[in-house]
């Protein structure tokens, strides 16, 4: 807080305060304080470095000899002020007493002397001196014995003259007071700006992630921020200002580079088993070197920061980017699956998507999310088979600080917390171990998550969309998948047709993939479209759309940059592209067979469940299942249900 001190007596102090009040709004939070000259002389340390004192010139000279701190602005009696005071005094008497503090006012240092003034103004001028307020009282009292005397002096003298029935004239003019107060406020505003700049510099220094060291021309430290102290492994609480840089750094290439007269940019240097990157900027003032600015970065920290940035940039694309418009197909099976999924999007129940590998389960999951009321909330996708079993719990539910060795400071939220208010897509859910299934079930039931190592739970609101290409019912029977978890995740079931059952979509898929990824090849595909589609439709697509896109990608690689190609050659390329995938048939055959059985068993269970719910009412059951009564009767006969 800035402080402006005023030393003097009435009426001078009042005049000074009036001028201060006119300018006070230009300096916020300014403290104005009146203080006696005697107090300052007896307590010179009362004035701090940033304080400003307005006082008489003699007091100012005495304070300077005492090396008093702060800024002293003397009220100097200008020649024109003194002449005005003498002329004013001549109106009352020819006998004028000039009373000054500590020494006579008119002396050889002035531009005028007593003899000349007497000649010019026709006055009888006497000079008197006082050394203290008490002594001033004695001097004025003695002068009051001659009733013809008029006194000129400071505020104290004028005030005493009035007290003893004499005429007192203040020798400070209004302009002199304005000048002194103006100088004081110029200093105050400069101090405010200096403090503001220092604060800004401090904020920049301490919030800069890199280490910064400011050195003068002698390589003494002017400033060093906490980041630099940490990077250089220095003592945290020690003051390093004014130290030579060579006093705090170990000898080595870093110190040599800093002491070098050359600038440096992105220098890689070793220091205390660390690799540091250093920039060195030389400061020039009036073509003279005035010091250096050193910027240090820990390369390992830079790499970690880069990885963090990459993860954050990737998170921009981690949401649900696909909608139902991205699902390509005109077959009845595709249209029915889309319509059913659109209905599921309007609900908020958990969804289980069943389909062979490559049928687009995540594509449907993202589309459901984007068409739901949660579309502007997170969509988090996780492959349950890709996470090591010992990390599943911490990935799903997060962990608190200190939960285990290597736990990051502050802990880490799990997938459920990250997906709060949104959708969590659990792909390959059938691969979860039983121990994890039980914990997942508890979260789905209680809608609360407890981090690993935490004592309290966090409420979460998450919609679960699961996906699988294995027979979960068989897993329930073999005790490899919990039945209670199955019914939690399979409130709504979506069956995705494999590509072999919707081959009328192949032509549309071919055109869409070409236009989206290889538009320049569209004329070639259009030219031989019928021949290509005929071959593609005749193939048994065990890998579904994923295998289809893999095959088309390989075909386009064979075509290369050619814009012209014969039909027999492109047919040969396509057939070769298809054959390269056939070795996978034997590996996937058993999975495909069990999948068809899975869908049939789930359908049977669902029909049984609804029939029990409706007490055997076929019409009501058909309405709930969304099928006709005749279809329900046919399926009951097919599955031997009574």
């Amino acid at each position: 807080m800035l402080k402006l001190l005023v030393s003097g007596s009435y009426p001078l102090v009042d005049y000074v305060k009036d001028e201060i009040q006119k300018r006070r709004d230009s300096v916020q939070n300014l403290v104005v304080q009146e203080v006696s000259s005697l107090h300052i002389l007896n307590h010179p340390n009362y004035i701090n470095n940033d304080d400003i004192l307005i006082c008489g010139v003699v007091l100012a000279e005495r304070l300077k000899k005492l090396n008093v701190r702060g800024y002293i602005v003397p009220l100097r009696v200008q020649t024109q002020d003194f002449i005005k005071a003498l002329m004013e005094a001549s109106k009352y008497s020819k006998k004028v007493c000039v009373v000054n503090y500590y020494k006579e006012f008119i002396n050889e240092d002035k531009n005028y002397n007593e003899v000349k003034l007497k000649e010019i103004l026709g006055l009888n001028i006497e000079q008197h001196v006082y050394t203290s307020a008490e002594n001033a009282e004695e001097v004025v009292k003695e002068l009051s014995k001659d009733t013809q005397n008029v006194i000129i002096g400071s505020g104290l003298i004028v005030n005493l003259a009035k007290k003893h029935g004499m005429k007192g004239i203040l020798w400070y003019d209004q302009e002199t007071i304005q000048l002194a107060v103006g100088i004081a406020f110029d200093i105050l505003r400069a101090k405010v700006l200096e403090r503001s700049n220092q604060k800004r510099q401090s904020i920049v220094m301490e919030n800069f992630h890199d280490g910064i060291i400011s050195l003068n021309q002698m390589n003494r430290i002017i400033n060093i921020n906490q980041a630099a102290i940490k990077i250089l492994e220095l003592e945290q609480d020690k003051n390093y200002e004014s130290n030579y840089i060579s006093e705090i750094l170990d000898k080595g290439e870093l110190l040599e580079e800093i002491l070098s007269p050359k600038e440096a940019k992105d220098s890689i240097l070793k220091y205390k088993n660390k690799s540091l990157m250093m920039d060195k900027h030389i400061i020039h003032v009036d073509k003279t070197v005035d010091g250096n600015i050193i910027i240090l970065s820990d390369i390992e920290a830079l790499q970690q920061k880069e990885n963090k940035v990459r993860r954050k940039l990737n998170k921009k694309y981690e949401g649900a980017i696909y909608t139902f418009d991205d699902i390509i197909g005109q077959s009845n099976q595709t249209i029915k699956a889309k319509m059913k999924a659109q209905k599921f999007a309007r609900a908020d129940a958990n969804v289980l998507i069943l389909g062979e590998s490559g049928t687009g389960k995540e594509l449907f999951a993202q589309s459901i999310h984007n068409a739901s009321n949660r579309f502007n909330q997170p969509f988090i996708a996780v492959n349950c088979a890709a996470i090591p079993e010992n990390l599943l719990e911490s990935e799903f539910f997060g962990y608190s600080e200190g939960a285990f060795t290597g736990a990051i400071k502050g802990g880490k939220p799990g997938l459920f917390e990250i997906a709060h208010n949104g959708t969590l897509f659990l792909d390959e859910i059938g691969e979860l171990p039983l121990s994890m299934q039980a914990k997942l079930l508890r979260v789905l039931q209680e809608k609360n998550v407890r981090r690993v190592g935490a004592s309290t739970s966090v409420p979460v609101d998450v919609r679960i969309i699961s996906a699988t290409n294995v027979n979960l019912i068989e897993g329930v029977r073999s005790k490899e998948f919990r039945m209670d978890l199955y019914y939690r995740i399979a409130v709504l079931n979506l069956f995705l047709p494999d590509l072999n059952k919707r081959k009328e979509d192949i032509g549309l898929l071919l055109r869409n993939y070409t236009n989206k990824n290889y538009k320049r090849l569209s004329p070639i595909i259009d030219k031989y479209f019928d021949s290509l589609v005929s071959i593609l439709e005749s193939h048994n697509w065990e890998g579904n759309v994923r295998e289809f896109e893999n095959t088309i990608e390989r075909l386009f690689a064979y075509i290369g940059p050619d814009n012209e190609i014969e039909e027999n050659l492109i047919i040969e390329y396509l057939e070769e592209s298809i054959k390269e995938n056939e070795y996978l048939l034997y590996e996937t055959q058993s999975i495909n067979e069990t999948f068809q059985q899975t869908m049939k068993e789930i359908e049977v269970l669902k029909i049984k469940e609804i029939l029990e719910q409706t007490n055997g009412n076929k019409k009501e059951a058909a309405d709930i299942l969304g099928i006709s009564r005749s279809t329900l009767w046919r399926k009951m006969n097919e599955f031997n249900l009574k």
Side-chain angles (χ1 to χ4, degrees):
M1 187 174 293
L2 293 173
K3 191 159 56 175
L4 178 56
L5 305 175
V6 181
S7 180
S9 300
Y10 172 85
L12 175 63
V13 170
D14 288 351
Y15 295 155
V16 173
K17 286 183 176 179
D18 287 342
E19 289 300 323
I20 290 172
Q21 192 61 36
K22 293 175 185 178
R23 297 168 170 80
R24 192 161 188 166
D25 289 342
S26 65
V27 178
Q28 299 296 317
N29 301 318
L30 175 64
V31 174
V32 179
Q33 183 179 333
E34 185 178 344
V35 60
S36 71
S37 58
L38 183 61
H39 182 78
I40 299 172
L41 290 169
N42 290 335
H43 304 89
N45 291 330
Y46 179 79
I47 300 178
N48 295 316
N49 288 331
D50 290 336
D51 293 345
I52 299 170
L53 171 67
I54 299 176
C55 65
V57 66
V58 178
L59 177 61
E61 290 172 358
R62 293 191 67 186
L63 293 177
K64 285 181 180 179
K65 290 178 180 179
L66 293 172
N67 294 320
V68 171
R69 298 171 297 176
Y71 298 83
I72 299 173
V73 180
L75 276 164
R76 297 185 181 277
V77 179
Q78 306 298 321
T79 300
Q80 62 269 29
D81 296 343
F82 185 58
I83 297 299
K84 283 181 181 180
L86 287 173
M87 292 177 67
E88 181 67 17
S90 67
K91 295 177 182 179
Y92 301 97
S93 176
K94 295 300 181 181
K95 294 185 67 176
V96 177
C97 299
V98 179
V99 182
N100 193 30
Y101 176 66
Y102 202 68
K103 63 182 180 180
E104 291 185 353
F105 181 75
I106 304 172
N107 55 51
E108 61 274 8
D109 297 328
K110 301 294 179 184
N111 296 322
Y112 41 79
N113 59 53
E114 188 174 341
V115 175
K116 288 182 179 180
L117 287 173
K118 288 178 179 179
E119 291 175 357
I120 295 170
L121 299 174
L123 296 174
N124 180 16
I125 301 173
E126 295 180 4
Q127 294 196 77
H128 300 272
V129 174
Y130 67 93
T131 57
S132 66
E134 293 77 13
N135 182 227
E137 176 94 31
E138 294 171 0
V139 171
V140 174
K141 187 176 180 181
E142 182 64 25
L143 292 174
S144 68
K145 292 177 181 179
D146 187 345
T147 57
Q148 294 185 9
N149 285 337
V150 176
I151 294 181
I152 295 176
S154 65
L156 172 64
I157 298 303
V158 171
N159 202 27
L160 289 171
K162 184 178 179 181
K163 177 181 175 182
H164 290 282
M166 301 174 68
K167 180 63 181 178
I169 297 173
L170 186 67
W171 55 17
Y172 296 108
D173 186 72
Q174 189 70 23
E175 289 182 4
T176 300
I177 296 172
Q178 290 174 350
L179 178 64
V181 174
I183 292 171
F185 270 83
D186 287 342
I187 297 171
L188 284 168
R189 283 188 284 268
K191 292 301 295 181
V192 170
L193 182 61
E194 180 185 351
R195 287 186 175 187
S196 175
N197 290 337
Q198 287 175 347
K199 188 69 175 177
R200 291 171 188 272
Q201 182 182 0
S202 175
I203 290 172
V204 170
M205 289 277 287
E206 293 308 326
N207 287 276
F208 210 75
H209 296 299
D210 292 330
I212 301 178
I213 307 173
S214 176
L215 303 174
N216 66 12
Q217 66 270 33
M218 301 299 294
N219 288 313
R220 283 183 180 270
I221 297 172
I222 299 172
N223 267 317
I224 180 169
N225 68 352
Q226 285 298 314
I229 291 172
K230 185 176 180 181
I231 289 170
L232 297 172
E233 299 179 11
L234 302 173
E235 293 179 29
Q236 293 288 324
D237 299 324
K238 190 174 178 180
N239 183 9
Y240 295 98
E241 292 182 11
S242 298
N243 282 68
Y244 288 101
I245 190 68
S246 56
E247 293 175 345
I248 68 167
L249 293 185
D250 295 345
K251 289 183 179 179
E253 57 182 5
L254 174 62
L255 182 58
E256 290 174 3
E257 192 81 2
I258 291 174
L259 297 177
S260 166
K262 298 179 181 178
E263 289 200 339
K265 179 70 175 175
D266 296 335
S267 295
I268 307 298
L269 306 165
K270 290 286 186 183
Y271 185 77
K272 288 186 178 179
N273 300 319
K274 286 183 177 181
S275 293
L276 303 181
M277 179 178 287
M278 187 193 81
D279 288 352
K280 177 183 173 185
H281 303 276
I282 298 176
I283 308 300
H284 292 90
V285 177
D286 296 330
K287 299 181 180 181
T288 303
V289 174
D290 193 52
N292 305 306
I293 299 292
I294 310 297
I295 302 176
L296 298 171
S297 304
D298 187 333
I299 290 179
E300 184 179 351
L302 282 177
Q303 291 170 337
Q304 291 174 356
K305 192 182 295 183
E306 181 186 1
N307 292 335
K308 189 175 182 180
V309 170
R310 288 179 182 273
R311 287 195 295 271
K312 284 192 174 183
L313 288 174
N314 288 334
K315 280 186 178 180
K316 294 179 182 177
Y317 306 98
E318 274 187 4
I321 60 175
Y322 297 112
T323 67
F324 286 116
D325 292 337
D326 296 304
I327 299 174
I328 308 302
Q330 57 190 6
S331 64
N332 289 335
Q333 293 92 330
T334 302
I335 292 171
K336 285 180 180 178
K338 283 178 69 172
M339 290 178 63
K340 194 173 185 180
Q342 286 167 342
K343 287 182 180 179
F344 289 175
R346 291 191 289 270
D348 203 41
N350 294 335
V351 179
L352 176 63
I353 303 176
L354 301 106
E356 294 180 6
S357 179
T359 52
K361 294 185 286 295
E362 183 167 356
L363 176 62
F364 271 84
Q366 291 193 22
S367 300
I368 290 171
H369 172 81
N370 277 330
S372 72
N373 291 331
R374 299 175 182 262
F375 72 96
N376 59 345
Q377 298 296 333
F379 175 89
I380 306 298
V382 57
N383 189 313
C384 299
I387 303 175
E389 185 172 345
N390 62 330
L391 296 180
L392 276 169
E393 187 175 1
S394 60
E395 283 296 315
F396 271 64
F397 311 133
Y399 57 82
S400 60
E401 183 175 345
F404 48 82
T405 303
I408 63 174
K409 188 175 181 180
K412 177 187 173 185
L415 296 172
F416 273 86
E417 286 186 61
I418 296 172
H420 181 57
N421 290 327
T423 302
L424 181 58
F425 175 57
L426 303 178
D427 198 10
E428 297 192 52
I429 193 170
E431 302 301 319
L432 282 178
L434 280 169
S435 59
M436 189 61 194
Q437 290 177 32
K439 293 169 182 174
L440 177 59
L441 175 65
R442 177 181 57 80
V443 172
L444 297 182
Q445 288 175 334
E446 299 177 4
K447 297 187 182 299
N448 283 297
V449 168
R450 180 180 295 177
R451 293 187 183 185
V452 176
S455 57
T456 57
S457 298
V458 178
V460 289
D461 176 18
V462 176
R463 186 186 193 185
I464 301 296
I465 299 180
S466 307
T468 185
N469 60 0
V470 300
N471 189 340
L472 289 185
I473 297 299
E474 186 61 34
V476 170
R477 289 173 177 167
S478 63
K479 308 296 184 183
E480 293 176 347
F481 199 87
R482 294 180 64 104
M483 180 180 290
D484 45 6
L485 177 59
Y486 173 81
Y487 286 117
R488 283 285 176 182
I489 64 172
V491 179
L492 303 173
N493 293 287
L494 180 63
F495 303 91
L496 301 186
D498 58 74
L499 188 55
N500 292 321
K501 290 184 178 178
R502 57 182 188 104
K503 288 191 174 181
E504 56 264 54
D505 291 339
I506 284 179
L508 200 58
L509 288 169
L510 175 61
R511 276 209 167 98
N512 178 74
Y513 190 83
T514 305
N515 291 333
K516 185 177 178 181
N517 300 288
Y518 295 90
K519 200 167 183 64
R520 68 175 184 83
L521 297 177
S522 293
I524 296 176
I525 298 303
D526 290 338
K527 185 176 181 179
Y528 306 119
F529 183 79
D530 291 337
S531 299
L532 295 172
V533 170
S534 177
I535 295 172
L536 291 169
E537 287 181 346
S538 65
H539 179 63
N540 184 33
W541 296 99
E542 298 291 347
N544 293 290
V545 176
R546 190 174 291 125
E547 181 191 353
F548 173 83
E549 292 180 348
N550 176 274
T551 300
I552 301 305
E553 185 74 24
R554 188 179 294 113
L555 168 65
F556 291 156
Y558 285 150
I559 295 173
D562 296 337
N563 291 325
E564 294 292 335
I565 189 171
E566 297 296 327
E567 182 175 4
N568 63 329
L569 186 57
I570 194 171
I571 295 299
E572 179 182 336
Y573 286 161
L574 178 59
E575 289 176 344
E576 185 175 347
S577 299
I578 290 172
K579 285 179 182 178
E580 289 184 19
N581 281 332
E582 288 182 349
Y583 76 94
L584 295 171
L585 289 175
Y586 297 104
E587 186 175 336
T588 59
Q589 189 67 40
S590 59
I591 295 175
N592 294 333
E593 289 174 356
T594 57
F595 177 75
Q596 300 302 325
Q597 183 64 28
T598 298
M599 292 196 296
K600 184 179 289 186
E601 290 176 352
I602 291 173
E603 193 173 13
V604 171
L605 283 173
K606 199 68 177 177
I607 292 172
K608 281 183 177 181
E609 178 185 344
I610 298 301
L611 285 171
E612 290 177 6
Q613 183 180 325
T614 59
N615 295 320
N617 188 319
K618 309 295 190 297
K619 183 179 183 305
E620 189 178 346
D623 290 339
I624 294 173
L625 291 167
I627 59 178
S628 64
R629 289 178 65 188
S630 59
T631 301
L632 177 60
W633 278 107
R634 180 175 55 78
K635 288 185 177 292
M636 289 177 66
N637 290 330
E638 179 184 347
F639 300 144
N640 196 25
L641 299 174
K642 296 181 181 180

